[in-house]
Amino acid sequence: MSTAKKVVVFDYGFGNVRSAERALAHVGADVEITRDYDRAMNADGLLVPGVGAFSACMAGLKEARGHWIVERRLSGGRPVMGICVGMQILFERGIEHGVETEGLDEWPGTVGPLKAPVVPHMGWNTVEAPEGSELFAGLDADARFYFVHSYAVHDWSLEITNPAMRAPKVTWSTHGERFVAAVENGALWATQFHPEKSGDTGAQLLTNWLNTF
């Protein structure tokens, strides 16, 4: 009997699903690419990729009922991980070319244009992970990850007032300005960079995620 973790890569038309599938299979997951509601709900882990425009990703996710799946999995403490625009849509809203689009609002904050001399931010960069991070466990402080994006979250305003709740762990990176590179928040993890394109460091990070469920 297989003990591999069952992971669904959610296929809503806006993500590098094949590269995510290969990366997860490489680190030992039992991976399926699907938009089937029941399979996505029942998997051990759900990975939500994302490429392109914030507004298009949100429209595609809603058309596939992905917003319900994410919300209901999280309400039951079931692991969800977002990548690139799949991370951005977890925030309150996105603004692109002056157009504001409502996100999933799992976290407060606005996704806006990255202010840097060269945009998009494309290539390898380091991150500033917080102490005690599970996502970056076993990785050196100078580990590099692969980014491709023109928009980012530049602030973090979520405050935890209930002492029984743990504050999210926020990782930062810098390209022209500091921006949110990753978040660990209970069952919900996300990265602005692409772990599936980040070689051995990305493989370690995906392994760390699998080890949480």
Side-chain angles (χ1 to χ4, degrees):
M1 182 176 178
S2 174
T3 58
K5 307 292 178 60
K6 180 69 177 180
V7 177
V8 159
V9 177
F10 195 62
D11 186 11
Y12 65 106
F14 293 90
N16 297 315
V17 293
R18 294 297 174 189
S19 57
E21 176 192 37
R22 287 192 296 270
L24 285 163
H26 176 70
V27 296
D30 178 7
V31 193
E32 180 180 12
I33 299 173
T34 184
R35 63 190 289 160
D36 181 83
Y37 184 90
D38 290 332
R39 289 179 179 275
M41 283 297 300
N42 293 328
D44 296 319
L46 177 71
L47 187 140
V48 182
V51 295
F54 187 105
S55 58
C57 284
M58 276 303 303
L61 192 72
K62 287 183 176 180
E63 192 275 330
R65 296 198 296 168
H67 58 311
W68 288 108
I69 294 170
V70 170
E71 181 181 329
R72 291 180 183 184
R73 281 188 63 92
L74 293 176
S75 68
R78 308 292 303 283
V80 175
M81 183 171 182
I83 290 176
C84 197
V85 185
M87 166 180 158
Q88 294 179 1
I89 58 177
L90 295 168
F91 286 87
E92 188 176 355
R93 61 183 172 271
I95 300 177
E96 294 182 345
H97 306 294
V99 178
E100 183 172 321
T101 303
E102 184 178 311
L104 295 179
D105 199 17
E106 293 295 336
W107 298 316
T110 299
V111 178
L114 191 59
K115 298 179 178 67
V118 178
V119 176
H121 174 209
M122 182 181 297
W124 298 84
N125 204 347
T126 56
V127 301
E128 305 165 39
E131 186 177 349
S133 168
E134 294 179 73
L135 184 59
F136 295 92
L139 290 167
D140 295 335
D142 60 354
R144 300 172 75 84
F145 299 90
Y146 191 77
F147 290 84
V148 183
H149 63 116
S150 299
Y151 296 83
V153 176
H154 310 102
D155 56 6
W156 181 264
S157 58
L158 179 59
E159 296 182 6
I160 301 298
T161 57
N162 183 345
M165 296 178 65
R166 291 197 303 174
K169 291 184 173 65
V170 182
T171 294
W172 297 85
S173 188
T174 301
H175 179 72
E177 61 182 336
R178 290 181 89 232
F179 63 88
V180 176
V183 182
E184 301 163 65
N185 184 200
L188 182 59
W189 287 15
T191 64
Q192 177 62 69
F193 55 83
H194 289 271
E196 80 281 10
K197 296 181 179 180
S198 298
D200 291 343
T201 54
Q204 179 62 56
L205 187 143
L206 292 173
T207 297
N208 291 343
W209 180 54
L210 294 179
N211 287 340
T212 66
F213 54 88

